[in-house]
Coordinates of all heavy atoms in Angstrom, one line a residue:
L1 N -2.4 -13.2 24.9 CA -2.8 -11.9 25.3 C -1.6 -11.2 26.0 O -1.3 -10.0 25.8 CB -4.0 -11.9 26.2 CG -5.4 -12.1 25.5 CD1 -6.5 -12.4 26.5 CD2 -5.8 -10.9 24.6
L2 N -0.9 -11.9 26.9 CA 0.3 -11.4 27.5 C 1.3 -11.0 26.4 O 2.0 -9.9 26.5 CB 0.9 -12.4 28.5 CG 0.3 -12.4 29.9 CD1 0.9 -13.5 30.7 CD2 0.5 -11.1 30.6
F3 N 1.6 -11.9 25.5 CA 2.5 -11.6 24.4 C 2.1 -10.3 23.7 O 3.0 -9.5 23.4 CB 2.6 -12.8 23.5 CG 3.4 -12.6 22.3 CD1 4.7 -12.1 22.4 CD2 3.0 -13.0 21.0 CE1 5.5 -11.9 21.3 CE2 3.8 -12.9 19.9 CZ 5.0 -12.3 20.0
M4 N 0.9 -10.2 23.3 CA 0.4 -9.1 22.6 C 0.6 -7.8 23.4 O 1.1 -6.8 22.9 CB -1.0 -9.3 22.1 CG -1.6 -8.2 21.2 SD -3.0 -8.7 20.3 CE -4.0 -9.6 21.5
L5 N 0.1 -7.8 24.6 CA 0.1 -6.5 25.4 C 1.5 -6.2 25.8 O 1.8 -5.0 26.0 CB -0.8 -6.7 26.6 CG -2.3 -6.8 26.4 CD1 -3.0 -7.3 27.6 CD2 -2.8 -5.4 25.9
A6 N 2.4 -7.1 26.0 CA 3.8 -6.8 26.5 C 4.7 -6.4 25.3 O 5.6 -5.6 25.5 CB 4.3 -8.0 27.2
T7 N 4.6 -7.0 24.2 CA 5.5 -6.8 23.1 C 4.9 -6.4 21.8 O 5.7 -5.9 20.9 CB 6.4 -8.1 22.8 OG1 5.5 -9.1 22.2 CG2 6.9 -8.7 24.1
S8 N 3.6 -6.5 21.6 CA 3.1 -6.4 20.2 C 1.7 -5.7 20.3 O 0.7 -6.2 19.6 CB 2.9 -7.7 19.5 OG 4.1 -8.5 19.6
N9 N 1.6 -4.6 21.0 CA 0.3 -3.9 21.1 C -0.1 -3.2 19.8 O 0.6 -2.3 19.4 CB 0.4 -2.8 22.2 CG -0.9 -2.2 22.5 OD1 -1.9 -2.6 22.0 ND2 -0.9 -1.2 23.4
P10 N -1.2 -3.6 19.2 CA -1.6 -3.0 17.9 C -2.2 -1.6 18.1 O -2.4 -0.9 17.1 CB -2.7 -4.0 17.4 CG -3.2 -4.6 18.6 CD -2.1 -4.7 19.6
F11 N -2.4 -1.2 19.4 CA -3.0 0.1 19.6 C -2.0 1.2 20.1 O -2.4 2.3 20.5 CB -4.1 0.0 20.6 CG -5.3 -0.9 20.2 CD1 -5.4 -2.2 20.7 CD2 -6.2 -0.5 19.2 CE1 -6.4 -3.0 20.3 CE2 -7.2 -1.3 18.8 CZ -7.3 -2.5 19.3
D12 N -0.7 0.9 19.9 CA 0.3 1.9 20.3 C 0.1 3.2 19.5 O -0.1 3.1 18.3 CB 1.7 1.4 20.1 CG 2.1 0.5 21.2 OD1 1.5 0.5 22.3 OD2 3.1 -0.3 21.1
R13 N 0.2 4.3 20.1 CA 0.1 5.6 19.4 C 1.4 6.1 18.8 O 2.5 5.7 19.2 CB -0.4 6.7 20.4 CG -1.8 6.6 20.9 CD -2.8 7.0 19.8 NE -4.2 7.2 20.3 CZ -5.2 7.6 19.5 NH1 -5.0 7.9 18.2 NH2 -6.4 7.8 20.0
L14 N 1.2 6.8 17.7 CA 2.3 7.5 17.0 C 2.1 9.0 17.1 O 1.2 9.5 16.5 CB 2.3 7.1 15.5 CG 3.4 7.7 14.7 CD1 4.8 7.4 15.2 CD2 3.2 7.3 13.2
L15 N 2.9 9.6 17.9 CA 2.8 11.1 18.2 C 4.1 11.8 17.8 O 5.2 11.4 18.3 CB 2.4 11.3 19.6 CG 1.1 10.7 20.1 CD1 0.9 11.0 21.6 CD2 -0.1 11.3 19.3
P16 N 4.0 12.8 16.9 CA 2.8 13.3 16.3 C 2.3 12.3 15.2 O 3.1 11.5 14.7 CB 3.2 14.6 15.6 CG 4.7 14.4 15.4 CD 5.2 13.6 16.6
A17 N 1.0 12.4 14.9 CA 0.5 11.4 13.9 C 1.1 11.6 12.5 O 1.5 12.7 12.1 CB -1.0 11.6 13.8
A18 N 1.2 10.5 11.8 CA 1.8 10.6 10.4 C 0.7 11.3 9.5 O -0.5 11.1 9.7 CB 2.1 9.2 9.9
I19 N 1.2 12.0 8.5 CA 0.3 12.6 7.5 C -0.4 11.5 6.7 O -1.6 11.6 6.4 CB 1.1 13.6 6.6 CG1 1.7 14.7 7.4 CG2 0.2 14.1 5.5 CD1 2.6 15.6 6.7
D20 N 0.4 10.5 6.4 CA -0.2 9.4 5.6 C 0.6 8.1 6.0 O 1.6 8.2 6.6 CB -0.1 9.6 4.1 CG -1.2 8.9 3.3 OD1 -1.8 7.9 3.9 OD2 -1.6 9.3 2.2
G21 N 0.0 6.9 5.6 CA 0.7 5.7 6.0 C 1.7 5.2 5.0 O 1.7 5.7 3.9
R22 N 2.4 4.2 5.4 CA 3.5 3.6 4.5 C 2.9 2.6 3.6 O 3.7 2.0 2.8 CB 4.6 3.0 5.4 CG 5.4 4.0 6.2 CD 6.8 3.5 6.6 NE 6.7 2.4 7.5 CZ 6.8 2.5 8.8 NH1 7.0 3.7 9.3 NH2 6.8 1.4 9.6
D23 N 1.6 2.3 3.6 CA 0.9 1.4 2.7 C 1.1 -0.1 3.1 O 2.1 -0.4 3.8 CB 1.4 1.6 1.3 CG 0.4 1.2 0.3 OD1 -0.8 0.8 0.7 OD2 0.6 1.2 -1.0
L24 N 0.2 -0.8 2.7 CA 0.2 -2.3 2.9 C 1.2 -2.9 1.9 O 1.3 -2.4 0.8 CB -1.2 -2.9 2.7 CG -1.4 -4.4 2.8 CD1 -1.1 -4.9 4.2 CD2 -2.8 -4.8 2.4
N25 N 1.9 -3.9 2.4 CA 2.8 -4.7 1.5 C 2.1 -5.0 0.2 O 1.1 -5.6 0.2 CB 3.3 -5.9 2.2 CG 4.3 -6.7 1.4 OD1 4.5 -6.5 0.2 ND2 5.0 -7.6 2.1
P26 N 2.7 -4.6 -1.0 CA 2.0 -4.8 -2.2 C 1.7 -6.3 -2.5 O 0.7 -6.7 -3.1 CB 2.9 -4.3 -3.3 CG 3.7 -3.2 -2.6 CD 3.8 -3.7 -1.1
L27 N 2.5 -7.2 -1.9 CA 2.3 -8.6 -2.1 C 0.9 -9.0 -1.5 O 0.3 -10.0 -1.9 CB 3.4 -9.4 -1.4 CG 4.7 -9.6 -2.2 CD1 5.7 -10.3 -1.3 CD2 4.5 -10.4 -3.5
L28 N 0.5 -8.3 -0.5 CA -0.7 -8.7 0.2 C -2.0 -8.0 -0.4 O -3.1 -8.2 0.1 CB -0.6 -8.3 1.7 CG 0.6 -8.9 2.4 CD1 0.6 -8.5 3.9 CD2 0.7 -10.4 2.3
Q29 N -1.8 -7.1 -1.3 CA -2.9 -6.5 -2.0 C -3.5 -7.3 -3.1 O -3.3 -7.0 -4.3 CB -2.5 -5.1 -2.5 CG -2.0 -4.1 -1.4 CD -1.7 -2.8 -1.8 OE1 -2.3 -2.2 -2.8 NE2 -0.7 -2.1 -1.2
D30 N -4.1 -8.4 -2.6 CA -4.6 -9.4 -3.5 C -5.9 -10.0 -2.9 O -5.9 -10.2 -1.7 CB -3.6 -10.5 -3.8 CG -4.1 -11.6 -4.7 OD1 -4.0 -11.4 -6.0 OD2 -4.6 -12.6 -4.3
P31 N -6.9 -10.2 -3.7 CA -8.2 -10.8 -3.1 C -7.9 -12.1 -2.3 O -8.6 -12.3 -1.3 CB -9.1 -11.0 -4.3 CG -8.6 -10.1 -5.3 CD -7.1 -10.0 -5.1
G32 N -7.0 -12.9 -2.7 CA -6.7 -14.1 -2.0 C -6.3 -13.9 -0.6 O -6.6 -14.7 0.3
M33 N -5.5 -12.8 -0.4 CA -5.0 -12.5 1.0 C -6.1 -12.0 1.9 O -5.8 -11.8 3.1 CB -3.8 -11.6 0.9 CG -2.6 -12.2 0.3 SD -2.1 -13.7 1.1 CE -1.5 -13.1 2.6
V34 N -7.2 -11.6 1.4 CA -8.3 -11.1 2.2 C -8.8 -12.3 3.1 O -9.2 -12.1 4.3 CB -9.4 -10.5 1.4 CG1 -10.6 -10.1 2.3 CG2 -8.9 -9.3 0.6
I35 N -8.9 -13.5 2.5 CA -9.5 -14.6 3.2 C -8.5 -15.7 3.6 O -8.8 -16.6 4.4 CB -10.6 -15.3 2.4 CG1 -10.1 -15.7 1.0 CG2 -11.8 -14.3 2.3 CD1 -11.2 -16.4 0.2

């Protein structure tokens, strides 16, 4: 938790907000990577 909050916070804001996202790595867009 210290590692995440100090260096890798997943809730950091992006201001101004992006119009759209950069997309998920295409390699990970596979049903196997869901589980």
Side-chain angles (χ1 to χ4, degrees):
L1 285 167
L2 276 175
F3 175 46
M4 183 161 44
L5 290 168
T7 70
S8 311
N9 185 4
F11 297 106
D12 280 343
R13 285 288 193 177
L14 176 64
L15 298 175
I19 298 175
D20 210 337
R22 293 203 294 264
D23 204 5
L24 178 65
N25 185 342
L27 280 173
L28 306 182
Q29 296 184 38
D30 180 82
M33 291 305 292
V34 176
I35 55 175

